[in-house]
Amino acid sequence: MIQTFANSSVHSLPLDYALRNLARTPLRTLLALLGSTLVLILLLGTVGFVRGMSASLRGSGGDNIIFLGAGSEESIERSEIPSRAAGVVAASLTGLREVLDQPAVSPEVHAALPIQPAEVEPSDDPPLAVVRGVTPMAFAVHPRVVLLEGRLAESGRDQVIAGRLAAELLGVERLEAGSRLRVGEREVTVTGIFDAPASVMAAEVWMPIADLQVLAQRDSVSCVVAAMPPTAEENPQAAARLLAAAEAFAATRLDLELVAMPERDYYARLEAFFAPIRAMVAAGAVLVGLGGLLGGLSILHAAFSSRIREFATLQVLGFPRRAIVMSMLEESLILHAGSLLAAAAIALVLLDGLSIRFSMGLFGIQIDEIALGAAIAAALLLSMIGIALPAWRCLRAPLPEALREG
Amino acid sequence: MNGTTSTGEDNATPLIECRDLTREFRRGEQVIRPLDGLDLELAAGSFVALMGPSGSGKSTLLNLIAGIDRPTRGTLRIGGRDLGRLSGRDLADWRSRQIGYIFQLYNLVPVLTAYENVELPLLLHGLSRGERHRRVSEALARVGLVDRHRHFPRQLSGGQEQRVAIARAIVTDPAILLADEPTGDLDHDSAAAVMDLLTSLHRELGKTLVVVTHDPAVAERAQRTLHLEKGRLVAAAEITR
């Protein structure tokens, strides 16, 4: 049975031609595929890094008002405000969310402390982690936090609860209720494991605020977090009024030396603070990717350029240049679609959720629809860039000259 | 026969008419003129061999007749149509219908089978699969390669490749067959077989056949041999059989 070409539109080359050309020089095709796959993996990794870091910082801020020490608006760890500020805020602001008839106001201490598993020898350079001193009200203002196993820590009994990602930060395989940690000079027991999806809190260790104040030898707190009422989203004007009242409160209570701001704004500033790091990661990826890109393009260029005489023959037969360019584009699109599939599979299996340590926290690389969309756009762009120069070179030569090519 | 008309068969209507046909190339300050004011008429159905030393302009003339190059000066009419007035797209379309071109190195597409190589030009004509199949089968039968239709060019001998190329050239039923050194890359026996085939196509199908060759044995088969030198026809070398 003779196989004829499927009916294609007049003046176009059959898709079979493009497909078979890819198999013509398998090694060359493989190298081009590897080059563009590398570029796309780097792109996915970079976008996933940027998205993961931004999402974890953005996700850490809720519909809360945060009170920080004046002058420490960009670093909660450096902030110090009097412990009594929480009570004064609760008594002074009306309209805050209430839990068990109490305003949801959470005083917190944020400290960067050396932490190690208790069973390992104390090292000279233990990893630093964020330890947050909290009251039970912290769970009301941070509803994202959920206890996965165990129970809450009790004050005065050297107990902590650990975030799901804390184990990775400490370099241990897993933490569970009953694990022992050395926080600073003190050995503590992990009583529970919590999660806080897409937020920096998932890598923190939480302990009762009084215990942390003793451990950190401070009587101040780092911040006070006050929760907006549940209707804040539906009634933004009331939320704005509450925020204005909080700002006015902070401005008038000079004795407390406070500033008030939406918690989201604090994390947005933090996100902006880390922008240079994201830019450096992107620049590094661009440099490495450029190598892969140039390698891939040069292989594609060589593959197409070796066919100048063939393209000239097709023109002699009557095929217009447009048909030949379209066929080249088909080849390039098929090749880059293969690269895209390979890169997406590798990124989803190996990179998605991979924890990256930054400052004293962790965040996960996020291969989401934005990252995949960027990779699809890049693959399309690479397909077109890949044929631009060879098409120009192969088709600009006068036919008699092109027919004499190698 | 410089500056004069070299006529075709006196009693036939000329299919190809060249008037003052000139092709120039510029290399810096230097002007190279492979064709220099050529006047020529070739009758429909004729078999003409173009001979001459390298650089004499025979391939340039063939390329101009094929519509794959354009003259710098003068006119070239084929079937009454002035090729110089056709746009690039119209010229490509005209070429696909009127010209069958046979290359010295066959120029088959290596990733396509013999059948697909022959089918390729038909894709430009909007024919049904059935009609394409009929024509390809007929062309392959004419060159005696029906049993090789599934073979890729690398699986064929040089002579077989050239026969596939000839099938590709005739499959669209063009008025003119142009062959540039069609036996230049073949051994003696294969060359003779290819020339037998071209001669029979000329005789049986009535195609106008123009062959560029260095080989006197090939030229001997032509009805007319035209000798070119420095872009002009050499009158003394024009032989009519």
Side-chain angles (χ1 to χ4, degrees):
Chain A
M1 178 69 187
I2 289 174
Q3 286 290 311
T4 62
F5 287 125
N7 271 340
S8 53
S9 64
V10 176
H11 290 151
S12 71
L13 284 155
L15 183 63
D16 267 12
Y17 173 64
L19 283 169
R20 287 186 214 174
N21 274 314
L22 285 170
R24 193 170 183 165
T25 44
L27 183 63
R28 206 178 252 179
T29 301
L30 184 69
L31 289 173
L33 190 91
L34 287 177
S36 57
T37 302
L38 173 70
V39 172
L40 293 174
I41 288 174
L42 281 168
L43 178 83
L44 281 164
T46 307
V47 175
F49 177 93
V50 170
R51 299 269 310 154
M53 181 187 258
S54 297
S56 84
L57 289 171
R58 268 200 315 271
S60 301
D63 283 328
N64 296 324
I65 301 169
I66 186 167
F67 294 88
L68 294 159
S72 301
E73 292 91 333
E74 289 181 354
S75 173
I76 212 164
E77 282 89 8
R78 282 205 302 270
S79 169
E80 285 203 53
I81 56 177
S83 289
R84 63 190 168 90
V88 181
V89 167
S92 305
L93 290 179
T94 53
L96 294 172
R97 183 186 304 165
E98 293 199 347
V99 177
L100 300 173
D101 293 333
Q102 295 293 312
V105 174
S106 164
E108 296 178 2
V109 174
H110 291 237
L113 293 176
I115 298 192
Q116 280 183 297
E119 65 269 19
V120 301
E121 284 293 310
S123 78
D124 293 337
D125 188 21
L128 287 176
V130 171
V131 181
R132 191 183 294 224
V134 295
T135 65
M137 199 55 92
F139 293 93
V141 300
H142 302 298
R144 194 183 284 260
V145 177
V146 288
L147 203 60
L148 297 176
E149 64 171 86
R151 58 171 178 77
L152 299 182
E154 289 175 27
S155 186
R157 301 187 62 183
D158 291 330
Q159 294 178 349
V160 298
I161 56 173
R164 186 179 56 82
L165 299 177
E168 202 159 332
L169 193 68
L170 301 179
V172 295
E173 200 172 311
R174 109 172 266 265
L175 281 177
E176 56 194 358
S179 298
R180 301 275 294 162
L181 296 176
R182 190 181 303 110
V183 180
E185 300 294 318
R186 179 170 294 189
E187 281 199 16
V188 297
T189 304
V190 176
T191 60
I193 301 296
F194 68 90
D195 195 11
S199 118
V200 292
M201 289 182 281
E204 293 178 354
V205 170
W206 284 17
M207 67 195 303
I209 191 166
D211 293 3
L212 184 55
Q213 282 176 316
V214 171
L215 190 64
Q217 297 178 334
R218 62 188 282 180
D219 55 7
S220 61
V221 297
S222 304
C223 64
V224 171
V225 182
M228 288 277 193
T231 55
E233 263 186 41
E234 299 144 29
N235 191 351
Q237 285 169 335
R241 276 199 299 276
L242 186 57
L243 178 63
E247 285 170 344
F249 165 78
T252 51
R253 287 300 301 259
L254 298 177
D255 58 319
L256 297 174
E257 297 184 74
L258 295 176
V259 287
M261 67 174 78
E263 195 181 31
R264 289 188 203 288
D265 284 7
Y266 170 77
Y267 283 103
R269 285 183 190 200
L270 211 56
E271 190 188 345
F273 177 76
F274 286 113
I277 291 178
R278 293 197 296 273
M280 278 175 63
V281 168
V286 165
L287 285 176
V288 179
L290 211 56
L293 177 70
L294 291 176
L297 289 185
S298 109
I299 292 163
L300 266 184
H301 186 263
F304 284 125
S305 296
S306 65
R307 285 158 53 193
I308 289 182
R309 190 158 60 111
E310 183 178 309
F311 294 142
T313 303
L314 291 172
Q315 289 180 77
V316 171
L317 294 180
F319 285 95
R321 287 177 181 173
R322 193 189 66 247
I324 296 165
V325 171
M326 288 309 292
S327 181
M328 291 168 86
L329 187 60
E330 280 172 0
E331 265 180 65
S332 190
L333 278 170
I334 294 165
L335 179 80
H336 286 95
S339 298
L340 179 65
L341 283 176
I346 291 169
L348 285 169
V349 171
L350 298 181
L351 296 182
D352 191 33
L354 185 72
S355 300
I356 303 286
R357 192 176 172 144
F358 82 109
S359 184
M360 283 153 288
L362 277 180
F363 68 89
I365 288 182
Q366 199 171 303
I367 307 295
D368 56 6
E369 66 280 6
I370 300 287
L372 291 171
I376 292 169
L380 278 172
L381 195 66
L382 287 176
S383 302
M384 288 185 268
I385 293 174
I387 64 149
L389 189 62
W392 179 76
R393 190 174 165 230
C394 294
L395 299 176
R396 93 197 147 102
L399 283 182
E401 214 172 281
L403 286 168
R404 285 197 296 269
E405 285 278 338
Chain B
M1 201 160 178
N2 299 338
T4 62
T5 304
S6 172
T7 58
E9 284 73 7
D10 294 337
N11 299 325
T13 310
L15 175 68
I16 301 170
E17 294 176 74
C18 307
R19 294 279 174 264
D20 188 29
L21 195 65
T22 302
R23 182 68 173 103
E24 288 178 358
F25 298 99
R26 288 189 176 275
R27 294 245 166 85
E29 294 296 300
Q30 198 185 1
V31 176
I32 299 161
R33 199 169 288 138
L35 270 188
D36 189 3
L38 183 79
D39 291 320
L40 176 68
E41 288 179 359
L42 297 178
S46 57
F47 177 0
V48 178
L50 294 176
M51 294 191 79
S54 293
S56 60
K58 50 193 191 303
S59 288
T60 304
L61 177 59
L62 201 74
N63 289 339
L64 288 169
I65 295 171
I68 59 177
D69 197 5
R70 288 178 183 272
T72 311
R73 200 174 63 235
T75 56
L76 172 60
R77 286 178 175 278
I78 298 184
R81 202 154 194 190
D82 185 349
L83 296 196
R85 290 181 185 276
L86 295 181
S87 68
R89 180 179 288 193
D90 289 343
L91 194 58
D93 189 55
W94 172 86
R95 194 166 58 229
S96 76
R97 290 170 196 283
Q98 302 297 330
I99 299 293
Y101 201 105
I102 299 154
F103 302 90
Q104 179 181 357
L105 297 174
Y106 336 125
N107 289 20
L108 298 178
V109 178
V111 294
L112 303 182
T113 61
Y115 183 95
E116 290 163 341
N117 265 288
V118 178
E119 187 184 12
L120 209 49
L122 295 178
L123 297 177
L124 293 160
H125 295 257
L127 301 173
S128 67
R129 289 175 87 161
E131 176 62 11
R132 291 203 305 266
H133 178 59
R134 188 187 66 74
R135 291 203 192 187
V136 174
S137 302
E138 204 174 289
L140 282 172
R142 190 164 278 283
V143 300
L145 283 176
V146 171
D147 58 335
R148 295 280 190 274
H149 69 267
R150 280 181 197 276
H151 288 59
F152 286 93
R154 65 176 181 278
Q155 298 168 315
L156 300 170
S157 69
Q160 287 170 331
E161 278 196 79
Q162 192 60 296
R163 279 151 67 195
V164 173
I166 291 169
R168 181 179 65 183
I170 61 171
V171 76
T172 55
D173 192 24
I176 303 167
L177 287 179
L178 303 174
D180 191 1
E181 302 269 10
T183 58
D185 203 47
L186 299 177
D187 60 56
H188 181 267
D189 290 349
S190 300
V194 163
M195 282 319 297
D196 287 346
L197 179 59
L198 286 174
T199 308
S200 73
L201 287 173
H202 163 250
R203 239 185 245 134
E204 291 163 22
L205 302 179
K207 305 286 179 199
T208 303
L209 178 60
V210 182
V211 179
V212 165
T213 185
H214 281 112
D215 184 353
V218 171
E220 266 177 23
R221 293 172 180 255
Q223 295 167 330
R224 175 180 295 271
T225 300
L226 302 175
H227 285 263
L228 282 94
E229 215 170 292
K230 293 179 180 172
R232 297 180 176 199
L233 280 176
V234 182
E238 188 180 349
I239 304 156
T240 305
R241 290 185 180 83

